[in-house]
Amino acid sequence: MTVTPAPAGTPVLDGGELISTSPATGAEVGRFPVAGEAEVAAAVAAARDSAIWWRGLGYAGRRARLGAWRAMIATRSAELCELINHETGKPAADAQIEVLTTVEHLSWSARRAKKVLGPRRVPAGMIMPNQAATLEYEPLGVVGVIGPWNYPVLTPMGSIAYALAAGNAVVFKPSEYSPAVGQWLADRFAEAVPGPAVLQAVHGMGETGAALCRSGVGKISFTGSTRTGKQVMAACAETLTPVLMECGGKDVLIVDADADLTAAADAALWGGMANAGQTCVGVERVYALAPVYDKFVEVLTARAAQLTPEQVGVTTMPSQLDVIRRHIADALDRGGRAVFGGLESVRAPHADPVILVDVPEDAAAVQEETFGPTLTVAKVRDLDEAVHLANGTPYGLGATVFSKSRGMEIARRLRSGMVAINGIVSFAGVAALPFGGVGDSGFGRIHGDDGLREFSRAKSIARARFAPLVPILSFDRTAKTDALLGKLIRLRYGRK
Ligand code: NDP
């Protein structure tokens, strides 16, 4: 019997080790011990102890230590970019943008945490005037982070940085396609922040993630496909573990009649093809208004012809090539046309850019996440049709609008968590803006103030400053008090 070797980039289990390989060359990138249920439980138990120390440091203590970690990542960023390139095939220059965005989030969340989560007085209101009301947010304890491989630093760090800033310890399960990058982050944390293990990485396949879901952590922050997200939620339901779901997308770009077509084409191309299309908020569908459609397609295809394979990068997960091929074949079978590339562009181990037009709206290439360097472009008669079709998939992660006069109006009508106007994925680089989706793209938010609150729970404290003038929560209440309260209800709240 002949054994077919796994394609380059496919992780391999060897005894108790996970071997990560380069998708470009097949060379071994690293070996990591596989964590089973017992090892995951041990990591979570250790994290529970570390969480007490970490929380006790307070906001200033954590900020200083997160700053040391951030500085170490920044100083050694070239090494990290090389590793990302080696393990996932992402061009090192694109990896640098990922690292830059990550250190910005790490810096912002550490600085911002006290303001958002620290104690603050809130008005006690009319019926409890004797109370001092304090709202503060406490950490959840241990947060489990399950990450994908496509942005192996930025994506998990959107949870890790914010969870740590909020005072939690973290157990991180990187994708089996990017364990070396995940371990690098944990190792640098251990160097920059000596002491208890506040950030640990555990490795393995889906079973390791499943064990983390059942380990009794305070929350699971999951980033990955919608299909796996449902499994994660089901497992977490067994222990009533809360979940944050950052799932897939089918993001749209709308080109309005007054748009800058060169800028829109550039954004569509980068959003669709960068990182070989493996971006959760990458562009997969374009709707261009009729008056500019022909010109837009012309500019887009002309620019696509200038792209080099090095700019596009490689397909990290070899099995994804089958999905890309299926979507293109289905689109062509159903009357679509390839105006750039075609079925022949998908040739293992890579997929080259493909631009499709005239694809029916119910085709897989329009409805399902392709996660490859493909774009569908459709002509729409007006803005209403553009918005209607844009909102026509079960996903709702990010979106892009190119319009000189109606950007905000269109953005507000789109069913998505984030929108970039006259830019591309710009929202991800603004630390103060929450990031997350609706529908099949998930729920909950990383980044921004909401991202900090996501890894905390509200603690409400009402402290009596003096005895109430009218005791209403007491058996000492008199008939006169009851009459007074009845009057208050009618007078204060009875008017329209
Ligand atoms: P997967 O859903 O295949 O995997 C995500 C993570 O879940 C991996 O670490 C995986 O481990 C783990 N996992 C697999 N099975 C289980 C299980 N039963 N229980 C617990 N964990 C499990 O996604 P990909 O890694 O392929 O990532 C690509 C997807 O991620 C795309 O759909 C993309 O859109 C989405 N994504 C969403 C983002 C967002 O912010 N919304 C950002 C980035 C990506 P292993 O790899 O070992 O199987």
Side-chain angles (χ1 to χ4, degrees):
M1 191 178 82
T2 35
V3 178
T4 317
T10 306
V12 181
L13 282 180
D14 181 20
E17 286 187 319
L18 172 68
I19 306 174
S20 167
T21 61
S22 157
T25 63
E28 183 175 315
V29 179
R31 288 171 180 251
F32 305 89
V34 171
E37 213 165 292
E39 290 79 12
V40 170
V44 171
R48 273 199 195 101
D49 292 340
S50 318
I52 296 167
W53 173 74
W54 186 243
R55 181 180 179 172
L57 292 173
Y59 291 104
R62 289 195 293 274
R63 178 177 169 173
R65 286 163 179 82
L66 290 171
W69 185 35
R70 189 240 313 126
M72 185 172 285
I73 295 173
T75 312
R76 293 174 64 173
S77 58
E79 173 192 331
L80 177 57
C81 293
E82 273 301 307
L83 183 61
I84 296 171
N85 171 256
H86 193 29
E87 190 167 47
T88 72
K90 177 182 293 190
D94 284 349
Q96 183 160 277
I97 297 169
E98 176 175 356
V99 173
L100 167 69
T101 314
T102 303
V103 285
E104 163 65 6
H105 280 285
L106 188 48
S107 167
W108 188 87
S109 55
R111 280 185 285 119
R112 182 80 182 156
K114 185 177 178 192
K115 178 134 182 75
V116 179
L117 306 176
R120 90 176 89 114
R121 286 283 286 273
V122 294
M126 202 182 72
I127 61 172
M128 293 288 161
N130 66 322
Q131 300 290 322
T134 303
L135 169 62
E136 57 194 52
Y137 290 83
E138 53 185 31
L140 304 173
V142 182
V143 170
V145 175
I146 299 177
W149 45 265
N150 61 336
Y151 284 79
V153 174
L154 176 61
T155 295
M157 286 289 280
S159 298
I160 295 170
Y162 286 75
L164 292 174
N168 302 280
V170 171
V171 178
F172 169 34
K173 150 72 175 78
S175 165
E176 72 207 34
Y177 286 88
S178 56
V181 173
Q183 190 60 50
W184 191 96
L185 291 171
D187 288 347
R188 297 297 80 75
F189 186 93
E191 275 174 55
V193 186
V198 174
L199 172 63
Q200 301 169 78
V202 290
H203 301 286
M205 305 292 203
E207 296 76 35
T208 306
L212 189 55
C213 293
R214 296 194 168 91
S215 66
V217 292
K219 186 163 201 163
I220 286 286
S221 179
F222 169 81
T223 309
S225 64
T226 307
R227 187 179 47 79
T228 309
K230 290 177 183 173
Q231 293 170 10
V232 165
M233 260 186 96
C236 287
E238 291 171 20
T239 47
L240 221 59
T241 301
V243 289
L244 182 159
M245 288 280 139
E246 293 286 354
C247 300
K250 190 72 188 169
D251 287 6
V252 73
L253 183 147
I254 292 178
V255 187
D256 199 0
D258 65 354
D260 176 336
L261 296 186
T262 307
D266 184 54
L269 213 53
W270 194 86
M273 311 305 181
N275 197 25
Q278 303 160 118
T279 303
C280 56
V281 284
V283 178
E284 299 215 350
R285 301 176 291 152
V286 179
Y287 295 106
L289 267 72
V292 292
Y293 173 84
D294 289 335
K295 184 73 189 162
F296 174 78
V297 173
E298 187 189 317
V299 179
L300 181 70
T301 47
R303 287 185 70 86
Q306 295 163 0
L307 282 179
T308 64
E310 292 71 34
Q311 286 176 304
V312 174
V314 305
T315 303
T316 306
M317 206 167 56
S319 59
Q320 196 65 25
L321 292 168
D322 294 337
V323 177
I324 303 168
R325 194 179 292 112
R326 176 169 64 79
H327 285 191
I328 298 170
D330 172 65
L332 297 177
D333 280 354
R334 302 184 55 193
R337 286 186 300 121
V339 289
F340 190 86
L343 206 46
E344 69 286 357
S345 306
V346 188
R347 42 191 179 84
H350 301 305
D352 292 330
V354 177
I355 300 172
L356 300 162
V357 298
D358 301 337
V359 182
E361 279 299 307
D362 60 353
V366 181
Q367 290 294 319
E368 298 171 23
E369 187 178 50
T370 309
F371 229 51
T374 66
L375 283 174
T376 62
V377 187
K379 187 195 294 186
V380 285
R381 60 176 181 274
D382 57 21
L383 194 55
D384 285 346
E385 186 179 21
V387 170
H388 174 70
L389 295 178
N391 291 343
T393 79
Y395 293 107
L397 194 54
T400 309
V401 174
F402 271 81
S403 173
K404 289 203 177 87
S405 56
R406 301 189 285 187
M408 289 300 281
E409 177 199 335
I410 303 170
R412 293 198 171 107
R413 292 176 64 188
L414 291 173
R415 179 180 171 272
S416 71
M418 295 87 56
V419 183
I421 301 174
N422 298 332
I424 183 75
V425 300
S426 40
F427 43 76
V430 180
L433 281 177
F435 185 105
V438 301
D440 277 7
S441 295
F443 51 83
R445 293 293 182 264
I446 55 172
H447 302 176
D449 291 356
D450 296 74
L452 286 163
R453 286 193 203 101
E454 192 74 48
F455 299 106
S456 328
R457 65 173 78 89
K459 182 67 150 288
S460 303
I461 305 173
R463 177 178 59 81
R465 292 182 296 140
F466 50 84
L469 300 175
V470 182
I472 59 174
L473 302 175
S474 163
F475 291 122
D476 289 344
R477 224 172 47 220
T478 62
K480 202 170 147 202
T481 310
D482 289 343
L484 192 69
L485 293 178
K487 213 170 180 179
L488 175 75
I489 292 172
R490 287 187 296 278
L491 279 177
R492 177 73 177 86
Y493 303 102
R495 274 169 298 155
K496 283 196 181 146

